[in-house]
Amino acid sequence: TETRNAPALVAATTVRNVIAHAGAQGARLVYKKIDSTLRGPVAAELGAVAAALPEARFLFAPANPAVGRTVRAGCLLVRGVPVAETEFARDPLSPVRESALRAFVGALVGALAGERIVIPDTETTADFAASVVRMEAGGPNWIPVGSGALARAVAERSARPAVARIDPPGTVAAGPILLVCGSAHPLNRAQAEELHRQRRVP
């Protein structure tokens, strides 16, 4: 939806429109992708999904353990530190002010009360898989909300065949390369510098 840097109202409207369009096309799976550090109008978007699909349950799992973003005791951590105490609290466009995930979605309590939203502790990729299995056991009407890491667990439980071709690790397409990095985060800078070092990409 390209709404991470949009105002909350614009983001919510966009999400509602996408869900309406998907429903009209007979879509069978909704996956709400969010940033693993909660940057952007995540609460507004989640509220829009909850309002558009009032019977659905939610699995809210923003973690991405491969890059040190985990959930423990309901708190989102970055390399063991609550996210609101890290550099993400100083993000110039979308500073993160809350680490406790229940408090983060607290403004949505009317729409997502009680057991309608499940927030699992997630410290390994196996935790994602276990959470997906538990949600499926409760019935088919549930929506995963999370980082790309959760998407893999959801896809692995899907009966649909994979359609994307995955290039082997380290594969770089032949020809010119242009790298555009839209984040000033130190990890992104380090990745860009490594690509420059290995492949001379400016």
Side-chain angles (χ1 to χ4, degrees), residues 10-171:
V10 172
T13 301
T14 301
V15 167
R16 279 195 301 272
N17 290 342
V18 167
I19 291 174
H21 176 73
Q25 299 300 313
R28 294 180 295 159
L29 174 66
V30 173
Y31 184 94
K32 181 63 188 97
K33 166 70 171 65
I34 61 171
D35 177 64
S36 62
T37 60
L38 303 179
R39 288 173 294 174
V42 175
E45 293 182 325
L46 186 55
V49 179
L53 302 168
E55 303 303 317
R57 296 170 295 121
F58 289 80
L59 175 63
F60 187 57
N64 189 344
V67 291
R69 297 162 190 180
T70 58
V71 175
R72 185 185 310 142
C75 182
L76 180 60
L77 307 173
V78 177
R79 297 179 296 279
V81 178
V83 65
E85 299 173 20
T86 69
E87 64 270 22
F88 296 105
R90 300 182 296 277
D91 186 272
L93 291 178
S94 185
V96 180
R97 305 294 189 207
E98 182 59 70
S99 303
L101 296 180
R102 284 278 171 194
F104 178 78
V105 297
L108 306 173
V109 112
L112 289 174
E115 297 180 359
R116 192 177 174 200
I117 184 166
V118 175
I119 302 176
D121 282 358
T122 315
E123 300 191 65
T124 68
T125 53
D127 292 334
F128 284 120
S131 296
V132 170
V133 169
R134 286 193 297 271
M135 293 300 290
E136 287 182 339
N141 194 15
W142 66 280
I143 297 170
V145 179
S147 72
L150 175 61
R152 178 179 295 275
V154 172
E156 286 173 351
R157 295 289 297 182
S158 171
R160 300 173 190 168
V163 295
R165 179 177 63 84
I166 306 299
D167 290 328
T171 300

